[in-house]
Amino acid sequence: MLKKVFASAVFGVEASTITVEVNVDKGIGYHLVGLPDNAIKESNYRIAAALQNNGFKIPGKKITINMAPADLRKEGSAYDLTLAIGILAASKQIQTEHLENYLIMGELSLDGSLQPIKGALPIAVKAREEGFKGFILPSQNAKEAAIVSDLKIFGIDNITQVIDYFDKAIPLKQTIIDTREEFNKSLNFPEFDFSDVKGQESIKRCMEIAAAGGHNVILIGPPGAGKTMLAKRLPSILPPMTLHEALETTKIHSVVGRVKDSGLMAQRPFRSPHHTISNVALVGGGSYPQPGEISLSHNGVLFLDELPEFKREVLEVMRQPLEDREVTISRAKFTITYPSSFMLVASMNPSPGGYFNDPDAPVSSSPAEMQRYLGKISGPLLDRIDIHIEVTPVPFDKLSDKRKGESSVEIRKRVTAARALQTARFSASNTVHYNAQMTTKQITEYCKLNDASIQLLKTAMERLNLSARAYDRILKVSRTIADLEASKTINQSHISEAIQYRSLDREGWLG
């Protein structure tokens, strides 16, 4: 007897429906076809034990299972439940009149209990698009899948619940959540707050500008100056996520199984990979492509601590995603695109010893060592970093001050107001949403300078020996500074402040 059961496969951040055809006929054998990977091929052992421990069995007949489309590679253990129900239905051990209305997925333990799966959210989205009435999956993934409206979600703990539902019409408990309410409840304030930072007022100002315009930042300072502490607090002053951004971010994290119990990610992600990370782990890819750290940072912050310690080739593969805000991974038979719109925050010591220009430095570095150290960061990568901030150690009197600094809540209000101006400014564009993304044409249109400002910028570039790549960056940052003051025009003071944030372009840093 032939039965069809439906499951889904995730490619990138999108899902494709898989039809599992199970045929039980005379003879002996177990044949699984349709490009399954080893985890799926091993499923017969898990299925046999799970059924045996719950009063059922794999029939001693010829079982042929086809996972269509047969030319599409399937991977993972999430098909265990699909195959088990298909075998029971095809061997007439259970009655399944409405099986075609449901998508069924889950990994089986030997006692029949269910383990969580990856990609529940994109699978649920696809199930709704395909017109399925319900999605049966492990209870651990139920909240995540229930984000999708107009689709019945049934979270289960054991295979017997599914069998009883189809065979005995014992109802399953539907998981229902109000997505908007869940989103609002999840908008609690981040753990780290700028009020905890002692001193560093000028650095906080830089971080506010970076957040307001979506500018990439590099923090340069000796060990212990507070670079990591400042970077960790940047998400707390970014504008709150929209529901669309939250759903988009949750979808990516769902693919790698990183969604928490709440189901919906409403906090901007902060990712901080170690400097030993590989190209694939950072950008994404692999034999079975998975999103990398830059995609997991989508709509949030990617922090690269001690930037020169990262392998140069690892940093170079990040250049294109920084520009395009997406990663495309090509294989012989398919191409996958992951979104990667994030703010890059990097930190570094000013020299190998960490104490460049410090007369009391315990370690000094020769000019040749300095050049080798700073040369690890390529010019094209620096082209994509708008703001360079020099971070100096906090004096003792500031550290011992008991007074709290300005809170992230107050800073975020100004940042959000500036972003609102940019949203209105770029409303006609589908690709540009804030100042850091401006094209050359938009810079010309929105960053017009008066004669005095032009002269100031010219003088600064000549006297400080700023590189040509600094010109556009200064204009973008000055536009953001003006937005923070709700100024329609860019004044000399805005240009003057923006010039200060190009440390690595000055003579004596990178030559």
Side-chain angles (χ1 to χ4, degrees), residues 68 126 197 223 389 466-467 503:
K126 187 65 175 179
V197 180
I389 309 173
L466 295 176
S467 64
S503 298

Side-chain angles (χ1 to χ4, degrees), residues 23-94:
N23 188 65
V24 176
D25 207 348
K26 293 179 181 179
I28 296 175
Y30 185 91
H31 308 285
L32 180 59
V33 297
L35 289 182
D37 71 349
N38 287 333
I40 302 175
K41 290 175 182 177
E42 294 171 351
S43 65
N44 64 313
Y45 299 107
R46 294 189 294 272
I47 293 169
L51 294 182
Q52 183 72 36
N53 289 324
N54 287 278
F56 298 88
K57 63 179 181 178
I58 289 185
K61 295 183 178 182
K62 181 180 178 181
I63 301 173
T64 304
I65 302 174
N66 177 44
M67 305 181 76
D71 62 343
L72 198 66
R73 183 87 174 166
K74 293 90 184 175
E75 61 171 355
S77 55
Y79 300 96
D80 290 0
L81 183 61
T82 320
L83 298 174
I85 296 299
I87 291 169
L88 291 175
S91 61
K92 298 183 179 179
Q93 294 183 63
I94 61 173

Side-chain angles (χ1 to χ4, degrees), residues 118-383:
K118 295 178 180 178
L121 180 55
I123 291 171
V125 171
K126 187 65 175 179
R128 182 181 62 182
E129 290 175 1
E130 296 283 337
F132 287 97
K133 291 182 179 178
F135 181 14
I136 298 173
L137 76 168
S139 57
Q140 299 95 318
N141 301 111
K143 276 193 173 182
E144 177 186 338
I147 292 170
V148 179
S149 58
D150 301 323
L151 179 70
K152 292 181 179 179
I153 302 298
F154 300 105
I156 61 167
D157 298 310
N158 194 285
I159 188 174
T160 55
Q161 293 174 263
V162 188
I163 294 171
D164 290 344
Y165 178 63
F166 288 111
D167 194 40
K168 301 175 183 177
I170 298 176
L172 292 171
K173 184 180 180 181
Q174 184 179 347
T175 302
I176 301 173
I177 66 169
D178 185 325
T179 305
R180 177 68 64 177
E181 185 181 342
E182 283 292 314
F183 173 68
N184 291 333
K185 279 198 298 186
S186 301
L187 281 175
N188 57 321
F189 210 71
E191 174 185 0
F192 301 105
D193 195 286
F194 268 101
S195 62
D196 301 326
V197 180
K198 303 291 186 181
Q200 305 287 28
E201 298 305 322
S202 60
I203 315 302
K204 290 180 191 176
R205 166 69 175 171
C206 296
M207 300 298 271
E208 179 181 338
I209 294 167
H215 302 287
N216 298 323
V217 182
I218 185 165
L219 306 168
I220 313 135
K227 302 186 294 293
T228 302
M229 179 180 65
L230 289 160
K232 284 183 176 179
R233 282 156 177 77
L234 181 59
S236 71
I237 63 172
L238 289 172
M241 290 180 82
T242 63
L243 181 57
H244 173 74
E245 287 177 326
L247 290 168
E248 197 176 40
T249 304
T250 304
K251 204 172 180 182
I252 299 168
H253 285 250
S254 172
V255 171
V256 292
R258 292 179 180 269
V259 177
K260 297 179 181 178
D261 294 338
S262 60
L264 189 65
M265 294 185 62
Q267 297 296 330
R268 294 192 179 274
F270 179 87
R271 306 291 300 180
S272 180
H274 192 259
H275 63 77
T276 56
I277 192 171
S278 67
N279 299 12
V280 171
L282 183 66
V283 177
S287 302
Y288 302 111
Q290 290 281 297
E293 289 290 335
I294 62 173
S295 294
L296 294 174
S297 305
H298 182 62
N299 290 324
V301 174
L302 176 67
F303 177 49
L304 301 184
D305 197 10
E306 301 300 338
L307 187 67
E309 300 301 326
F310 284 79
K311 296 176 185 175
R312 188 176 177 115
E313 60 269 23
V314 171
L315 297 178
E316 293 306 296
V317 298
M318 191 173 60
R319 281 164 40 192
Q320 200 61 39
L322 271 172
E323 195 74 27
D324 297 340
R325 301 190 299 283
E326 65 179 21
V327 181
T328 301
I329 298 166
S330 298
R331 294 291 180 267
K333 293 185 178 180
F334 58 87
T335 299
I336 291 173
T337 299
Y338 294 114
S340 61
S341 180
F342 61 92
M343 274 185 67
L344 173 65
V345 180
S347 75
M348 60 178 284
N349 294 329
S351 64
Y355 297 93
F356 176 64
N357 279 346
D358 186 347
D360 302 320
V363 182
S364 59
S365 303
S366 68
E369 288 174 328
M370 281 283 297
Q371 193 61 38
R372 276 197 304 272
Y373 178 72
L374 296 171
K376 292 179 181 179
I377 310 170
S378 69
L381 178 60
L382 281 177
D383 273 350

